[in-house]
Amino acid sequence: MGLLIGSGCALYPLGWDSEEVQQTCGNSSDQFKLGSCQIGWAYYCTGAGAATAMLLCTWLSCFAGKKQKHYPY
């Protein structure tokens, strides 16, 4: 899940050279260059959430196959 979100965040700037973005942010906008517009905090939070999800899922999957200790209760 985190990989899909992360790839979406990486591919999102590819659309910044569209006509609609250039009308809004100025003609200087291009791929990975936004022109006079700014990226909001939600984009950064989404990227951080995707990285956290990838790390957490990897960490949890490492412990999923380990046997649990049996206590003599």
Side-chain angles (χ1 to χ4, degrees):
M1 186 65 160
L3 186 61
L4 292 174
I5 295 171
S7 62
C9 286
L11 293 175
Y12 177 68
L14 291 176
W16 290 348
D17 63 343
S18 69
E19 185 177 325
E20 292 86 5
V21 175
Q22 287 183 350
Q23 287 175 356
T24 305
C25 299
N27 289 333
S28 64
S29 65
D30 197 10
Q31 290 181 354
F32 296 97
K33 182 181 176 194
L34 199 49
S36 62
C37 294
Q38 295 181 352
I39 297 176
W41 59 270
Y43 183 77
Y44 296 115
C45 287
T46 303
T52 303
M54 284 191 290
L55 291 173
L56 183 66
C57 289
T58 303
W59 182 72
L60 288 175
S61 67
C62 289
F63 295 109
K66 294 193 179 221
K67 291 187 174 186
Q68 293 187 5
K69 295 179 182 178
H70 295 287
Y71 295 106
Y73 293 142

